Amino acid sequence: MSRIKIVAGNWKMNNDATQSSDLLNALKAKKLTVSADKKVIIAPPFIYLKEAVDTLKDVNGFAVAAQNCHHENSGAFTGEVSATMLKSIGCEYVILGHSERREYNHESDALLAKKVDTALAAGLKVIFCCGEALEIREANTQNDFISNQIEKGIFHLSAEQLQHVVIAYEPIWAIGTGKTASAAQAQDMHTNIRQHLAHKYGADSADKMTILYGGSCNAQNASELFSQKDIDGGLIGGASLKADDFATIINAR
Ligand code: PGA
């Protein structure tokens, strides 16, 4: 299996301009060695993206992601940012389908499928998030729930397009709660996701998919999570805001 491993930092709506510059420069100053099969992705708020691209452009193995984009490419959409704009400033990835956007911005499966298409058409790669709420986990229906989210969001893509998508499994009950999924719970879900992908796209395509875990992943638990067979790295929120912790996670295997 030659899957690319990814550690992505989702800053969410955190850091002012000075804090953002300091964090980018602190990460750069660490001179981390990122092996060829690995990528580090930084996802700051829109207004810091260009600076992130410029600061990290000659840092080996690093790329920049936006936390969202609009489903149309241009037009009268006041306050919105398009995939083409992101691509034009050197952004490589966009995070779509994060549970916070599904909940607070009412982003539906259908809207997300459209965003995925727009992003891919603009030449961005997509980090597509899925995750179940606590009630679903307690009812033990999480596998079907996640399979359904993935079907609705990305199963309209061709196998070729799928190669530009990374999946991030983020159980909502674990996001920002300090209550991480156990390595076994995460591995089980990642197997479920990979099997579901194999069913639709074949085992080879499924094997090549990078599937990240997110939800209270931190410097202490990252190596146990990342050592699971089907966990190919993490999407990190809180712990990506501290250069030392994030560097430890990047180095975790
Ligand atoms: P967390 O967030 O690491 O702070 O739990 C993860 C995410 O929402 O991407």
Side-chain angles (χ1 to χ4, degrees):
M1 267 177 310
S2 55
R3 287 201 285 273
I4 183 129
K5 308 262 184 214
I6 293 177
V7 175
N10 174 12
W11 291 8
K12 307 191 180 181
M13 197 175 71
N14 290 298
N15 288 339
D16 67 16
T18 308
Q19 290 165 325
S20 292
S21 298
D22 288 352
L23 181 49
L24 291 169
N25 288 317
L27 288 170
K28 183 172 178 171
K30 291 202 172 283
K31 296 190 180 357
L32 299 166
T33 313
V34 180
S35 54
D37 64 339
K38 211 170 184 178
K39 211 158 207 175
V40 179
I41 301 174
I42 309 292
F46 284 132
I47 58 165
Y48 309 129
L49 283 172
K50 181 74 170 80
E51 183 188 359
V53 168
D54 291 344
T55 306
L56 300 171
K57 69 175 176 294
D58 28 63
V59 182
N60 198 30
F62 275 63
V64 172
Q67 297 174 19
N68 177 39
C69 68
H70 196 261
H71 62 278
E72 297 289 352
N73 233 328
S74 64
F77 299 102
T78 302
E80 296 292 342
V81 174
S82 79
T84 306
M85 292 172 192
L86 296 171
K87 178 73 182 174
S88 75
I89 61 155
C91 222
E92 233 183 281
Y93 289 82
V94 61
I95 299 172
L96 293 176
H98 192 283
S99 58
E100 287 152 14
R101 293 206 60 90
R102 289 180 192 261
E103 182 179 354
Y104 307 133
N105 299 79
H106 314 291
E107 295 195 354
S108 66
D109 291 324
L111 178 78
L112 290 169
K114 220 166 162 203
K115 288 193 180 201
V116 168
D117 290 342
T118 309
L120 292 177
L124 293 174
K125 296 185 193 109
V126 171
I127 301 175
F128 185 81
C129 302
C130 54
E132 83 284 359
L134 187 60
E135 311 85 83
I136 290 166
R137 171 68 55 172
E138 282 172 352
N140 201 26
T141 52
Q142 67 273 10
N143 284 6
D144 286 348
F145 182 87
I146 297 298
S147 295
N148 186 41
Q149 272 190 337
I150 290 175
E151 265 169 46
K152 299 238 168 79
I154 61 172
F155 268 25
H156 62 287
L157 300 177
S158 67
E160 204 282 314
Q161 287 177 307
L162 191 75
Q163 291 175 24
H164 304 287
V165 177
V166 170
I167 291 177
Y169 168 59
E170 301 202 301
I172 296 169
W173 46 271
I175 295 179
T177 56
K179 196 174 149 195
T180 181
S182 70
Q185 281 173 321
Q187 165 59 24
D188 277 358
M189 179 57 80
H190 285 223
T191 309
N192 170 58
I193 293 170
R194 210 178 292 288
Q195 282 172 352
H196 202 55
L197 290 167
H199 192 66
K200 164 83 180 167
Y201 292 99
D204 276 1
S205 296
D207 245 13
K208 287 191 203 124
M209 284 293 289
T210 296
I211 307 178
L212 309 179
Y213 169 78
S216 299
C217 184
N218 58 37
Q220 286 73 46
N221 60 27
S223 55
E224 195 195 350
L225 286 159
F226 297 176
S227 67
Q228 303 300 306
K229 185 165 130 319
D230 287 292
I231 301 182
D232 308 310
L235 180 54
I236 321 298
S240 73
L241 298 172
K242 298 184 202 110
D244 287 348
D245 285 3
F246 194 55
T248 305
I249 298 170
I250 292 167
N251 289 328
R253 263 288 171 186

